[in-house]
Amino acid sequence: HVLERSPSGSSGGTGAGIAAGFAVFGLGTDTGGSIRGPSSANGIAGLKPTLGLNGRGGIIPLSLALDTVGPMARHVADLAAALNVMAGPDPRDPATAAAAGHIAPDYTAGLRPDALRGARLGLLRDFMKHDAGVDAVVESAVAILRAKGATVVDIKLPTFVLGVNSGLYLAIRDPEFKTQVEDYLATLPRKDLPKTHADIVALSEKITAPTKEGWVPNKNRLTAYEREKKASTIHDLPYRSAMEDGRKIVRENLQWFLTKEKLDAFIVPTASRPPRLIKDDGVTLPPNIYSGTAILANVTGWPDLIVPAGFTSDPALPVGLSFIGPAFSEARLLALGYAFEQAHPARTLPVTTPVLPGELIEY
């Protein structure tokens, strides 16, 4: 929508293509926001599914405890149709065994305009107050949800839960990638490819200037490689504690609020800030316990549905609203998101991709 702004995430190309109307839906792989980021930044719908709802066979792992693959699309109904095909067991992915008995017969069946009537939603305000424009769009979305019959209650998470949540991503991701990428590389038949994490780092360090193929140095990735080299292993206490205790703390506290307030789902701005300038993409923001919205759904393994909620002003940048629910609640989230989308159709084609002579791009 604004070409000097980042399309966000490692699946940003898919997000931009869907926003431009070049396809009905596409896939993204999400470890810490690479479905949520592109969906929000490009003003489209997206779904990070429950870990185990669908298979990940063939995907290069970043962290198998966090990795998911899910659809991005023009509309919520497109997500539901894609999920009908995607959900199910994968013999290459043991995590899909957990989905047995939890897969809906038809994820499009509950898509009704009145699905918000009687719903109870918890607004996670801890992840707001980072950008006035984003907050204004969210407040307008809350008013629409209430007008359509939903009850929206404010939820304030305990500070220690926010702190645990913000630290879990790297505590799990870095040790897992170091081990799991080598397991993946060992399955590849070609002998001239890297075999270890150290091999990958060495190859990356050689690229100090743009190559003839167009590859450029990736400072962020090199920084991550250096951090991963120093990280604990999957056999060490920090990793085991994050996996066994940290994730349990976050998941059980969120479940407690769902039960106490009788909530169908949490709602929260998908990104607490608008898309960044591309020139600032290499700038690492300081750690902040109040900015880990996307991480919530990864560390819990829960689904996160993103629906376009509107645009900020000056410049007009997309804002997404996330519906986060317990494991395998995709059918309910899609119903809620569809009803919100019908009440407030915020998606629009970017002015930067007009229809050319002889073309037809469906809205």
Side-chain angles (χ1 to χ4, degrees), residues 181-182 185-186 188-197 199-200:
V181 75
E182 293 185 356
L185 292 170
L188 303 180
R190 281 177 52 179
K191 303 302 182 185
D192 59 336
L193 298 176
K195 296 298 181 186
T196 67
H197 183 270
D199 291 343
I200 296 173

Side-chain angles (χ1 to χ4, degrees), residues 17-361:
I18 299 301
F22 295 160
V24 175
F25 82 99
L27 301 184
T29 55
D30 189 310
T31 307
S34 289
I35 292 171
R36 276 76 53 81
S39 297
S40 180
N42 293 286
I44 59 174
L47 176 67
K48 186 215 85 73
T50 302
L51 179 65
L53 181 73
N54 53 291
R56 299 167 297 176
I59 294 173
I60 301 172
L62 184 53
S63 167
L64 291 175
L66 307 173
D67 293 341
T68 49
V69 58
M72 291 176 275
R74 299 177 304 175
H75 303 294
V76 173
D78 299 326
L79 299 176
L83 201 62
N84 277 346
V85 178
M86 295 176 67
D90 181 349
R92 299 170 295 175
D93 187 356
T96 56
H102 295 292
I103 298 173
D106 180 2
Y107 286 98
T108 68
L111 303 185
R112 304 188 318 274
D114 64 350
L116 285 165
R117 189 176 302 140
R120 290 183 60 83
L121 304 170
L123 176 60
L124 297 173
R125 286 197 177 272
D126 294 297
F127 299 102
M128 297 177 65
K129 297 186 178 178
H130 290 278
D131 183 88
V134 170
D135 289 353
V137 173
V138 172
E139 297 293 1
S140 295
V142 168
I144 293 166
L145 292 167
R146 286 174 170 152
K148 289 298 174 180
T151 298
V152 180
V153 299
D154 287 356
I155 300 294
K156 182 168 180 57
L157 298 176
T159 303
F160 81 92
V161 174
L162 294 170
V164 170
N165 175 67
S166 67
L168 281 174
Y169 175 71
L170 293 182
I172 294 171
R173 200 215 81 159
D174 286 359
E176 287 205 344
F177 177 69
K178 209 165 40 172
T179 298
Q180 292 167 358
V181 75
E182 293 185 356
D183 294 340
Y184 171 81
L185 292 170
T187 69
L188 303 180
R190 281 177 52 179
K191 303 302 182 185
D192 59 336
L193 298 176
K195 296 298 181 186
T196 67
H197 183 270
D199 291 343
I200 296 173
V201 177
L203 283 171
S204 300
E205 288 174 340
K206 288 181 180 178
I207 304 177
T208 57
T211 68
K212 63 180 180 180
E213 296 89 357
W215 302 111
V216 298
N218 188 325
K219 294 180 181 179
N220 280 350
R221 177 51 58 193
L222 280 174
T223 299
Y225 287 151
E226 292 300 322
R227 189 187 65 240
E228 290 156 6
K229 285 198 298 186
K230 300 173 184 176
S232 63
T233 74
I234 60 174
H235 305 292
D236 293 333
L237 182 60
Y239 169 78
R240 297 204 323 268
S241 180
M243 285 288 289
E244 297 166 13
D245 303 320
R247 293 202 304 175
K248 182 180 179 182
I249 286 170
V250 176
R251 189 183 297 117
E252 289 188 351
N253 273 270
L254 290 176
Q255 185 62 59
W256 184 84
F257 278 106
L258 286 174
T259 303
K260 177 178 180 288
E261 298 291 345
K262 298 180 174 60
L263 301 177
D264 293 271
F266 297 106
I267 55 171
V268 65
T270 307
S272 56
R273 296 181 177 90
R276 303 172 74 184
L277 290 165
I278 290 174
K279 68 182 181 67
D280 293 336
D281 249 1
V283 178
T284 302
L285 295 173
N288 188 328
I289 64 172
Y290 299 103
S291 59
T293 313
I295 297 170
L296 275 178
N298 291 101
V299 300
T300 58
W302 288 4
D304 184 343
L305 171 72
I306 308 93
V307 184
F311 288 79
T312 63
S313 58
D314 196 27
L317 299 168
V319 177
L321 184 69
S322 274
F323 294 77
I324 302 174
F328 304 110
S329 62
E330 280 84 357
R332 182 58 174 154
L333 297 184
L334 288 163
L336 296 170
Y338 176 83
F340 172 66
E341 180 187 58
Q342 296 302 300
H344 182 57
R347 177 185 170 266
T348 183
L349 287 171
V351 296
T352 57
T353 52
V355 178
L356 301 178
E359 283 188 337
L360 172 65
I361 296 180

